[in-house]
Amino acid sequence: MIRSYINILIMLFFSWSVYAVCQGDALLPLTAGMVIIVSILARLRSTDRFTTFEKIPLSVVIILSYLAGMFWRIFVPAPENANSPFLDFTSTLQSASIFFGTLIALRPFTQKNIYRLTFCAWLTVPISMNVPFSENMLFTFAAFAFVSLSIVIINTMNRPSEKKHLFTYAKDYILFAILLTTLTTILFLGIAWSIVVREQAFFGLMGNYIMPRHYTNFLNISPTLNLINPGVSAFDRRPVTEVSLPKGRNAYLKMQVFDEYHNGTWTEPKTITKTILPVALSPDQPIGKIMMFVPLKDLVPAPGGITAVRSIHYLRSQDEIIYADGPQNTRILEFSLSSQSDPVFLSPDQYRKYTALPPLIADDLRKIARSITQDDGNALSKASQMVAYFHHHFTYSLDVSFTADNKGLIKMLNEQRPAYCTYFASALTLLLRAQGIPARVAAGFLTTEQTNVKDNTFLARVNNAHAWTEALLPSYDIEHGQTTMHWQTFDATPPAFNNALNKHSAAYYLERILEHLWLGILRFKATLENMDKDLLRVYVILLLLGAMVFINRQRIIPALKGWLHAQRRTKKISHEAPDYLKTLYGRYEHYLKEAFGEVRQSADTDTDVITRIKQSGKTDKATIAHIETFINAFHAARFGTGSIEQLNSILKELELTTP
């Protein structure tokens, strides 16, 4: 038994080394290992002191291990590159498995505890490897596989009792060990290396479902927008946010606006004025909801026209962009939405800024704009004609073969080259400016993917990141009965080719099932993260304590009933004590009268009465001592430090001595 136990502990220590390398936390396994080694040395002297750990129910050990793992991860968080559907739960479980193994190892040597330690070792390894593999991780994993298989071989091959078979046993043992260990190690290494080779593809696939990691390129919020390829963001299907809008509203979720252009680069306004949003939603305006699956700094992808948010610390800029006042702790926002954006009044300097053109290509832009609009005097008609021109004469493509600068933009317009959204938004904005129409570039998300038709809910993914044009045009304000200027959305980007799966194929239905599961997990996670973290931690602890009580109810309930019964009995005695003490003292006075003819006067103390009995010589010293014992016991019971039962017993003995 001892040999098997030591073998399993060796395997357990190797599994903890996998945790240490993968999670970057060597302190916990080293501390746990030292505790186990010290306990083994202590058992060489005596095993009695370790029987206490066996009395702790297994359910209590599991819950205590999880709570310890939770608190440990507060001080030693998971690595930044760790991936998991519920990272907090997984990281807690990783450290909890080490606490669990330590507590089980402190129990007495039994076959059940050996099985539990084996399970703990094999549990720690897979849940700890939720980070991209490195050379050290591969080596540690291979070492664990080698040691584990060697221990299996040692524990399954029995040594023969006859000496003549020892040579055959040794030969078979060595050959079997070398063969099995080599083949299995090669297998594990092959699997591990294949994971390394396919790590990007694997995490890319899983990232589409339940493991968002670092959002790239377009979502790295920057004060500039460059005409560059969006890179892997264009193929990244991970969800960013989900928004429910009133019927008829489009799904342009704005995050930034850019007003100055310099040779392929747009720049945000240098000064952004923000005002605090009211927290009381407008009763006469439609309501919408935003659920963010990942925070994007202080920005909230949101539709224009938001007038109030049911949450504190949210601001709105003059360009109707929503900001969080500090770190985004809230992931679910309810908002009221106006039917029309705020009117805009430009100063002469602002008008010049929104109609400015790059000097080197200004003439080319005016020439191209005139050829498209054919000198139509209506600004709205000009903007619509330009959008139609792009949609009919251009195609969408990420494969751009020209430079991302002024010359490249003119080359794209003259030769009708394929391009993507930032090129089209830039081109339309500059062409509108060439016609004297104030315009700017807006960026955020455009999504038409509905996840709930009834609630008009749209899903925004990473690859829905988009850029479009906002032009300042007049519109009639029905509410005030006048014409005012508003920023209006125009999108020159032609529709991209849709390479979705056949809607009647099995693969399509499987994708839909996985998609619903993944979105359900993300919504649940966003709901949890939207809750108060300290309050959530309290709920988790209370839930675990409740589970502990429920599992051990057969032990706890009888003990609780016994305690309540004892409390009721004590309370009953405490209520009855004054009257009962009075009765006992009355019996004592009756005893004095019968035995010694002594009647206690109202002015007499107990000492006075005892003194007169001593002086009368009617009794011996033993009886006097007994009477004094009763008086002392009476006063002790009177002030709650003595037992009434003991007082009654002393009085009975006195009464028996009555002549």
Side-chain angles (χ1 to χ4, degrees):
M1 178 68 73
I2 299 296
R3 188 183 70 174
S4 300
Y5 202 80
I6 297 298
N7 290 338
I8 296 303
L9 286 179
I10 292 173
M11 183 173 68
L12 185 67
F13 290 161
F14 270 89
S15 72
W16 289 354
S17 66
V18 175
Y19 165 89
V21 174
C22 293
Q23 299 300 311
D25 176 20
L27 179 60
L28 179 59
L30 281 175
T31 305
M34 289 299 297
V35 169
I36 293 176
I37 292 172
V38 170
S39 71
I40 292 175
L41 295 176
R43 291 184 202 204
L44 297 177
R45 295 185 175 182
S46 173
T47 59
D48 294 339
R49 68 189 68 180
F50 292 93
T51 56
T52 305
F53 291 97
E54 188 68 25
K55 296 177 182 178
I56 304 175
L58 185 62
S59 59
V60 175
V61 172
I62 294 173
I63 292 174
L64 290 178
S65 300
Y66 189 83
L67 290 175
M70 180 188 298
F71 285 111
W72 181 264
R73 282 305 193 178
I74 294 175
F75 304 103
V76 184
E80 291 185 0
N81 59 348
N83 292 279
S84 175
F86 302 101
L87 186 57
D88 292 338
F89 172 76
T90 305
S91 60
T92 298
L93 189 61
Q94 290 163 351
S95 53
S97 67
I98 296 181
F99 284 106
F100 177 77
T102 305
L103 292 175
I104 295 299
L106 293 177
R107 291 186 166 207
F109 298 151
T110 63
Q111 195 64 42
K112 283 186 178 180
N113 288 332
I114 288 178
Y115 293 150
R116 289 164 183 165
L117 290 174
T118 305
F119 169 77
C120 184
W122 283 100
L123 173 67
T124 303
V125 171
I127 63 174
S128 298
M129 296 191 301
N130 63 334
V131 293
F133 264 27
S134 66
E135 295 291 338
N136 290 336
M137 295 175 193
L138 281 173
F139 175 79
T140 309
F141 179 60
F144 168 76
F146 180 86
V147 170
S148 300
L149 288 167
S150 299
I151 290 172
V152 170
I153 294 169
I154 291 172
N155 291 333
T156 53
M157 292 190 67
N158 296 321
R159 183 176 178 177
S161 56
E162 299 181 14
K163 292 184 178 181
K164 63 179 181 180
H165 299 301
L166 285 178
F167 177 77
T168 304
Y169 163 78
K171 182 187 67 174
D172 292 343
Y173 180 88
I174 294 171
L175 291 176
F176 179 69
I178 293 174
L179 179 62
L180 184 58
T181 305
T182 303
L183 290 177
T184 311
T185 304
I186 292 173
L187 176 62
F188 275 121
L189 284 174
I191 294 173
W193 279 112
S194 67
I195 292 175
V196 174
V197 172
R198 293 178 294 177
E199 190 268 343
Q200 293 297 326
F202 174 75
F203 278 119
L205 175 64
M206 296 302 294
N208 284 344
Y209 296 92
I210 57 177
M211 296 197 302
R213 294 192 292 170
H214 299 293
Y215 290 82
T216 54
N217 289 1
F218 193 95
L219 300 185
N220 289 335
I221 308 302
S222 169
T224 60
L225 177 66
N226 300 312
L227 301 182
I228 58 173
N229 191 291
V232 296
S233 296
F235 307 98
D236 195 335
R237 288 175 50 80
R238 286 173 291 176
V240 177
T241 188
E242 194 172 44
V243 58
S244 299
L245 298 172
K247 295 292 184 182
R249 294 298 295 258
N250 60 37
Y252 283 90
L253 308 180
K254 186 162 61 174
M255 294 175 63
Q256 292 176 280
V257 294
F258 304 91
D259 54 8
E260 294 186 12
Y261 175 81
H262 300 283
N263 197 29
T265 300
W266 287 92
T267 307
E268 273 188 326
K270 294 180 176 60
T271 303
I272 300 177
T273 303
K274 304 173 185 177
T275 57
I276 299 175
L277 277 168
V279 296
L281 303 186
S282 303
D284 56 341
Q285 292 181 343
I287 305 299
K289 186 172 74 171
I290 296 172
M291 178 178 285
M292 298 188 64
F293 301 130
V294 61
L296 301 174
K297 292 187 177 179
D298 61 338
L299 289 166
V300 179
I306 290 180
T307 58
V309 171
R310 200 196 300 275
S311 181
I312 60 175
H313 307 309
Y314 279 86
L315 312 173
R316 185 181 69 168
S317 72
Q318 75 272 18
D319 298 316
E320 298 190 342
I321 298 172
I322 307 301
Y323 295 85
D325 187 13
Q328 288 196 55
N329 297 321
T330 304
R331 294 294 184 87
I332 302 175
L333 303 179
E334 281 189 288
F335 56 86
S336 55
L337 202 61
S338 173
S339 58
Q340 194 172 34
S341 60
D342 294 337
V344 178
F345 304 95
L346 295 182
S347 66
D349 289 340
Q350 289 175 321
Y351 181 85
R352 283 191 293 272
K353 180 177 68 172
Y354 285 117
T355 55
L357 294 171
L360 296 177
I361 59 172
D363 292 337
D364 293 325
L365 290 170
R366 294 189 183 98
K367 179 180 178 181
I368 296 170
R370 285 194 298 270
S371 67
I372 296 173
T373 59
Q374 299 177 353
D375 295 327
D376 191 328
N378 184 283
L380 177 60
S381 176
K382 288 181 179 181
S384 300
Q385 288 181 48
M386 289 182 184
V387 171
Y389 175 79
F390 280 104
H391 286 185
H392 286 94
H393 294 85
F394 288 81
T395 57
Y396 180 90
S397 175
L398 293 173
D399 186 14
V400 174
S401 58
F402 46 89
T403 56
D405 55 13
N406 289 339
K407 292 182 179 179
L409 197 62
I410 297 300
K411 184 181 184 68
M412 163 200 154
L413 290 170
N414 286 331
E415 300 179 9
Q416 298 180 357
R417 292 288 189 93
Y420 41 87
C421 62
T422 49
Y423 271 99
F424 290 118
S426 300
L428 177 60
T429 301
L430 294 177
L431 290 176
L432 288 172
R433 290 184 176 188
Q435 290 287 306
I437 301 172
R440 65 189 185 187
V441 172
F445 294 92
L446 168 62
T447 175
T448 57
E449 182 181 354
Q450 281 189 302
T451 55
N452 190 324
V453 177
K454 180 180 178 181
D455 295 335
N456 201 40
T457 301
F458 295 88
L459 180 67
R461 305 176 187 269
V462 177
N463 62 352
N464 295 136
H466 192 56
W468 60 90
T469 298
E470 289 185 342
L472 190 63
L473 298 174
S475 61
Y476 183 72
D477 189 344
I478 300 176
E479 183 178 350
H480 298 91
Q482 60 183 358
T483 300
T484 53
M485 304 296 287
H486 296 269
W487 289 110
Q488 299 184 33
T489 297
F490 293 91
D491 196 344
T493 304
F497 175 71
N498 187 3
N499 58 353
L501 293 171
N502 183 350
K503 291 188 176 183
H504 298 288
S505 66
Y508 173 81
Y509 291 112
L510 177 60
E511 182 181 293
R512 296 283 75 77
I513 293 172
L514 292 175
E515 193 169 63
H516 285 300
L517 290 173
W518 132 53
L519 287 175
I521 292 172
L522 290 180
R523 291 177 187 126
F524 178 69
K525 183 179 179 183
T527 303
L528 289 181
E529 293 183 355
N530 196 56
M531 296 177 63
D532 183 271
K533 297 297 183 295
D534 294 332
L535 185 61
L536 181 60
R537 188 174 290 111
V538 171
Y539 286 156
V540 170
I541 293 174
L542 291 176
L543 181 62
L544 291 173
L545 292 176
M548 184 189 303
V549 171
F550 177 77
I551 293 170
N552 297 279
R553 62 189 183 279
Q554 293 181 347
R555 298 183 181 182
I556 294 175
I557 292 176
L560 184 61
K561 287 182 177 179
W563 180 80
L564 290 173
H565 179 71
Q567 292 297 314
R568 285 196 217 100
R569 184 180 177 190
T570 303
K571 187 175 181 182
K572 182 178 179 181
I573 291 175
S574 65
H575 283 300
E576 295 176 349
D579 293 336
Y580 193 58
L581 284 173
K582 186 176 179 181
T583 301
L584 290 177
Y585 198 82
R587 285 169 53 192
Y588 165 69
E589 289 182 327
H590 179 73
Y591 161 75
L592 294 179
K593 183 178 179 181
E594 291 293 326
F596 311 108
E598 185 67 45
V599 177
R600 183 177 179 274
Q601 303 300 319
S602 59
D604 289 341
T605 64
D606 292 319
T607 304
D608 293 338
V609 175
I610 295 172
T611 302
R612 287 201 299 269
I613 294 173
K614 288 180 180 179
Q615 292 174 351
S616 67
K618 294 179 180 180
T619 186
D620 55 14
K621 292 183 179 180
T623 303
I624 295 295
H626 215 149
I627 293 172
E628 290 176 340
T629 301
F630 171 81
I631 293 299
N632 292 332
F634 172 78
H635 288 296
R638 179 184 173 192
F639 293 103
T641 59
S643 170
I644 295 177
E645 288 81 359
Q646 182 183 8
L647 182 64
N648 187 35
S649 176
I650 296 171
L651 183 58
K652 285 181 179 180
E653 292 179 5
L654 280 173
E655 290 172 337
L656 292 174
T657 63
T658 303

